[in-house]
Amino acid sequence: MAKSAAEAEAAPGTVGQAVIPLVNRLQDIIARLDGDAAAGLELPQVAAIGGQSSGKSSVLEALVGRDFLPRGPNICTRRPLVLQLVRHSASEEWGEFLHAPGRRFHDFEQIKREIQLETDKEAGDNKGVSEKQIRLKIFSPNVLDITLVDLPGITRVPVGDQPSDIESRIRTMIMQYIKHPSCIILAVSPANADLANSDALQLARLADPDGSRTIGVITKLDIMDRGTDARNFLLGNVIPLKLGYVGLVNRSQEDINFNRSVKDALAFEEKFFSTLPAYHGLAHCCGVPQLAKKLNMILLKHITDMLPGLKTRINAQLVAVAKEHAAYGDTVESAAGHGVKLLNILRKYCEAFSSMVEGKNRVSTDKLSGGARIHYIFQSIFVKSLEEVDPCKSITDEDICTTIQNSGGPKGAMFLPEVPFEILVRKQIGRLLDPSLQCAQFIYDELIKISHGCLTSELQKFPILKKRMSEVVSSFLRDGLRPAETMITHIIEIEMDYINTSHPSFVGGTKVVELAKHEVLPTKTSASLSVHKDGTIVGSEIQLTAERGQKSRAVFARDANRRATSEQGDMDAGTSLSGGSQMGNSQFVGSPSSKLHSIIQLKEPPITLKPSETEQDATEVAIVKLLIKSYYDIVRKSIEDAIPKAVMHFLVNHTKRDLHNFLIRKLYRENLLNELMRETDEVLIRRQHIQETLEVLEQAHRTLEEFPLEAEKIEKGYDLSGHATVLPKIHGLSEDGPNGIYTSSPNRYGAHQASHLVI
């Protein structure tokens, strides 16, 4: 496999020189992703945090060996600076900014000005702060491969254009970096301040409670009060950290003002540690060279530990983005291409519609969907609602009694007529029309919902096509709803037009009379309505009508007697009158009182007449009710079966069969193709963004494949003898432990040592 440019410039055969440059390349690649795409792809890096004027910038400059960062009395770092140190074999040194690709800055003063310009561009020129990164890569033979992030220093008092909550904002910005397990925290604290109150250590403890990825850096050891030293701090006796501490001597402001070089400052640092007895035996945690080696070793091991998980996350995101890219597809320009794409969309849409109706596509586990909702409407809403209806609930006994008496006309009925039953049962059957039509409307609504859920991601790219398809599908479904409603109306009318009392399930005759007898008549009169032994419906009707006949004859008899009595009375009256006239009719003839007694006045009938109720009427009402319920149940069961069949045939199955052809006829037209297949600007931008993201992730995947297999051996130890730098070696200081093995803290931490790495 061809080596990368960073590897070609690095010394061959050294695992560290292969791994860290590759991570630097990954950082540059992933930096091109936006926030959402880069989420979860945090790479191992070192973040330098500390209070304002804690010496962070001096530490970074000491690691590079050059003066290249803006300096001043107030806040200097106002944007996160991602600094990648790349070791190469040439003697030349230069810097490159990610925002200025291909341009090399050989003058480090020019690098300083570029950082200041970029800072002012985003954060303003009056001490403002921005979260947008500046990415700088420095190539030099005098550095070890390290990636650091210089974050703004914690400040409490706003100055210039800084907002009143500047401290909270900076703390939030710092936590965005150090909260990730992939980040090694370089907590910088000045020695002339109380370490227990260090802002850097307090923030580090929030993000890294067990201190497993925090390195403490104590700066300005040369300005501590006389008679004091930082030995106990460096040994971890005050605030223990598993990765230990490193003590440094920074350049003072006077050194900066007089342009004292970093190399001179490092020479002074070497002399300082070699002359003070308090720091003898602490060579592993004193000086910038030791900090560089420590950072390199820890970062290298951290990268190795994070590598498997990083590969998994990048691969998973690559698959997801590739899937989304495939969904967007390539841009089509030709009319033929538009036509093919439209036909594919229409075919997929109709297949998705049928699959959702049949329950074969995206079966949900948390709610009913598609055809299951249609079945629920038929069985749990329509059928259940009909079964809960009492057909006689809306009919009063008075209504039935009135209907019976009205059907008899002026003569009155001698037998219980069929007309009242048929009138009333037709009325109840007619009530089934509205719920049946509602059922069809519910299914129509469900089909509309299903149509909206088909191929949503594909149609999202073509808003005009989506709108036209929605209109066409709605029109098609409305056209299917009309014949379904017509059929439903016919079904109800058919049931109303022919009352089939010969239906085998219809309850009539002896049985209905018996039921009515037990419901209405008292026990003492039950014998008068006893059923004939032959058990036939005729017999029961004869029994009922016989009583009505007897009643009528009795009435007639009473009328005849009444008429006979009246005639006899008239005759007697005539005789009396005749005799009277003979005896002396002068007493009556011409008398005014005789006219008054001869006129009978009738009451006028009321406008509204109500039938009178008798025991016989109550029995007849009960019989009619039982007949209505019996026949209604027969019709209801028929309707419960016929209506879903009609809706399925005329609406649901019709849509599955003919929707595809209908869409093609309406939409597949040459004059409509360009308009229908026009994508929105948002879709074009999104496709371009997805394409770029896919390319970035593919590049990151290829870079991960270049990681050497030997990187797994780093856990056993990493030889830094080949990483000699021009940073001055501190003479006269012994190295702790056999074979010069560096540990992160005193032996008291045992298993919590950062690593046993050979130098």
Side-chain angles (χ1 to χ4, degrees), residues 1-19:
M1 183 181 293
K3 292 186 177 181
S4 64
E7 289 178 290
E9 293 175 350
T14 305
V15 175
Q17 287 180 312
V19 173

Side-chain angles (χ1 to χ4, degrees), residues 128-148:
V129 177
S130 171
E131 296 182 358
K132 190 174 182 180
Q133 292 180 345
I134 299 175
R135 302 186 70 85
L136 171 62
K137 187 179 293 185
I138 293 180
F139 298 84
S140 172
N142 307 321
V143 298
L144 292 179
D145 295 302
I146 306 172
T147 300
L148 305 104

